[in-house]
Amino acid sequence: MASSCSIPSSLVPLLLALLVASCSWSVSADKSGGGGKGKGNGTQTTLFRSGDELRAYRRIVARMDRLKKASVKTIQSPDGDVIHCVPAHQQPAFDHPKLKGQKPEDEPEERPRMSADAAEEDAVFTQAWSDGGKQSCPGGTVPIRRTTEQDLQRYSTSGSLRRYGMKPRAAGVRRDSTSDGHEHAVGYVTGDQFYGAKASLNVWPAKVASAAEFSLSQIWVISGTFGNDLNTIEAGWQVSPELYGDNSPRFFTYWTSDAYQATGCYNLHCSGFIQTNSRIAIGAAISPASAYNGRQFDISLLLWKDPRRGHWWLQLGSGPLVGYWPSSLFTHLGGHANMVQFGGEVVNTRPSGSHTPTQMGSGHFPREGFNRAAYFRNVQVVDWDNNLIPARDLRLVADHPACYGIQGGYNRAWGNYFYYGGPGRNVRCP
């Protein structure tokens, strides 16, 4: 039986290019360099595995078309993003074989308990598309950032559409070896049973040197080994020209149950994460961001496991819930985490044979301190009894401290904290 899907007219040029690729095994595609929208500066030839790439393209286009048709409201963001307000039960999560036919569950009755002396007023961040909180999707819907023709064209020049929205295999968590080009400056706790993590981190417009690189700051909740059974859930902010087409810091999520091999993805690019919030768009720009020697803007994130149903929820500090990762997605995280990690990560492709100048955090070293360096403050974990407690024995490590550093401490206002980051290439980091 033949099958068909409706192709948006705006994507016809890319489809034709891929059809040519299926016959000739190559296609000349627009090359966007640093990822600026609409700033082509040449062409390059990209090889495709014709059948696999074409099927991947058709799958992405069919999903885009379905979400567009399901949308009950469309919002044009000042930064160029288009946000579709999609009924919550029609979001991509429910394409997953283990989630088909389901609907978003009610919010948990019990949230992690915070000690009285640790209570704080959490700032909820704003995003460009929401116009300072004046715009949102209607109740019962969730905002989903539209994937565009430019997104697919940009990604197809440097990677495979079969892995669109996914991290490189076996990359993304700090380990002993950094030969894959991923570099970290992180604080971590291990050797116990963890049921969540919380921290506040300031947001920066980090400069990323090329579309093949990214800079992010996030929380990782981890279980399993560093082999093929690694489970993670992740959330934070990220600058990724390849994924988003610009250099804006964007709110993101990620998950994997097999060490980034075949499961999981950023944001809502695949089935899995179930969004419940109508006011936060995952993958949308966070605005405003912090400025050097100026005002600081931070976001407070809490990832935690519901003791009753076992799902892992993402919450904005002590405020609204964003959504959850169903426990059925995971093996080890079906129980608990055995490591929690906080901090920054960049990709270093060593352009021209030297270290990348891609910035981590603010692009300044920890020693510069507040208003200048990036930070994590009030670093906490959730214990077996659903209590938020300080992250004791927090270990700080930087893969290449001459390029990106880290240093921490404790005080009454910030609890456990650390500054981290750096400029990348410099006289001590050639």
Side-chain angles (χ1 to χ4, degrees):
M1 180 181 296
S3 62
S4 63
C5 64
S6 176
I7 307 297
S9 60
S10 64
L11 291 172
V12 169
L14 181 56
L15 177 57
L16 292 175
L18 287 170
L19 287 172
V20 171
S22 70
C23 298
S24 66
W25 296 84
S26 69
V27 60
S28 181
D30 185 61
K31 181 179 180 182
S32 299
K37 291 183 179 178
K39 297 180 181 178
N41 60 0
T43 60
Q44 69 178 24
T45 298
T46 304
L47 295 179
F48 290 90
R49 292 184 176 88
S50 57
D52 290 341
E53 289 297 290
L54 199 54
R55 279 191 290 273
Y57 170 78
R58 287 171 171 165
R59 183 177 65 252
I60 297 169
V61 168
R63 171 185 171 276
M64 292 161 54
D65 190 49
R66 177 170 58 82
L67 292 175
K68 183 178 179 180
K69 289 180 179 178
S71 177
V72 301
K73 180 180 179 180
T74 298
I75 298 173
Q76 180 71 52
S77 173
D79 66 354
D81 282 356
V82 175
I83 304 296
H84 291 306
C85 301
V86 177
H89 67 279
Q90 293 182 264
Q91 64 182 289
F94 299 113
D95 295 336
H96 196 284
K98 294 182 178 179
L99 305 176
K100 280 188 178 295
Q102 297 184 25
K103 295 181 179 180
E105 294 191 2
D106 294 335
E107 295 184 357
E109 297 177 1
E110 182 183 358
R111 302 192 187 187
R113 294 179 292 273
M114 185 182 302
S115 62
D117 60 353
E120 61 175 307
E121 185 69 26
D122 288 308
V124 176
F125 66 85
T126 57
Q127 296 181 292
W129 74 277
S130 65
D131 189 21
K134 297 175 184 177
Q135 293 198 97
S136 65
C137 285
T141 71
V142 295
I144 298 178
R145 179 181 178 270
R146 178 190 291 175
T147 299
T148 67
E149 174 189 2
Q150 289 75 24
D151 291 335
L152 299 184
Q153 286 179 334
R154 187 174 57 251
Y155 199 89
S156 68
T157 63
S158 59
S160 167
L161 287 176
R162 289 175 296 161
R163 293 188 60 81
Y164 180 69
M166 300 176 70
K167 287 186 178 183
R169 291 179 176 88
V173 176
R174 201 271 172 187
R175 61 183 72 198
D176 293 336
S177 171
T178 57
S179 59
D180 58 6
H182 289 245
E183 298 182 13
H184 304 79
V186 299
Y188 69 96
V189 290
T190 188
D192 203 348
Q193 296 184 4
F194 304 105
Y195 295 84
K198 181 183 180 184
S200 296
L201 55 155
N202 56 348
V203 179
W204 293 89
K207 295 179 181 178
V208 174
S210 75
E213 299 180 344
F214 65 67
S215 179
L216 60 76
S217 298
Q218 68 171 61
I219 301 173
W220 293 258
V221 176
I222 306 163
S223 193
T225 68
F226 284 96
N228 293 338
D229 66 341
L230 186 73
N231 290 195
T232 78
I233 57 174
E234 309 169 24
W237 63 263
Q238 175 186 44
V239 177
S240 176
E242 181 180 70
L243 192 58
Y244 305 109
D246 60 21
N247 284 277
S248 298
R250 292 171 177 269
F251 177 50
F252 81 94
T253 62
Y254 202 92
W255 70 274
T256 182
S257 63
D258 64 354
Y260 307 97
Q261 294 185 96
T263 63
C265 62
Y266 283 112
N267 309 330
L268 304 180
H269 286 300
C270 67
S271 56
F273 182 83
I274 298 174
Q275 185 162 344
T276 59
N277 191 302
S278 62
R279 293 180 175 272
I280 298 296
I282 302 173
I286 302 171
S287 178
S290 301
Y292 185 79
N293 267 340
R295 189 174 177 185
Q296 301 299 293
F297 292 91
D298 65 20
I299 59 176
S300 185
L301 302 177
L302 169 61
L303 295 80
W304 57 280
K305 187 177 180 64
D306 176 15
R308 184 179 175 193
R309 296 186 179 273
H311 304 317
W312 290 88
W313 283 83
L314 172 59
Q315 182 174 331
L316 299 179
S318 301
L321 297 170
V322 178
Y324 63 95
W325 293 268
S327 60
S328 59
L329 297 175
F330 304 104
T331 51
H332 298 288
L333 280 175
H336 57 80
N338 55 27
M339 176 184 285
V340 176
Q341 187 169 290
F342 312 81
E345 176 187 355
V346 301
V347 172
N348 173 26
T349 61
R350 296 193 62 82
S352 304
S354 58
H355 195 285
T356 181
T358 285
Q359 298 177 336
M360 180 188 292
S362 69
H364 294 264
F365 284 112
R367 61 177 176 268
E368 296 195 38
F370 187 70
N371 275 2
R372 298 176 179 87
Y375 63 75
F376 275 70
R377 62 182 177 88
N378 292 315
V379 176
Q380 300 171 283
V381 295
V382 179
D383 69 8
W384 64 273
D385 198 28
N386 208 29
N387 295 306
L388 269 165
I389 61 174
R392 298 185 182 89
D393 300 320
L394 185 69
R395 304 176 186 177
L396 305 181
V397 60
D399 294 332
H400 298 284
C403 309
Y404 312 106
I406 187 168
Q407 61 185 48
Y410 174 89
N411 63 41
R412 193 176 183 87
W414 277 20
N416 287 325
Y417 71 88
F418 60 83
Y419 291 100
Y420 69 100
R425 185 168 68 231
N426 64 78
V427 292
R428 298 179 57 237
C429 173

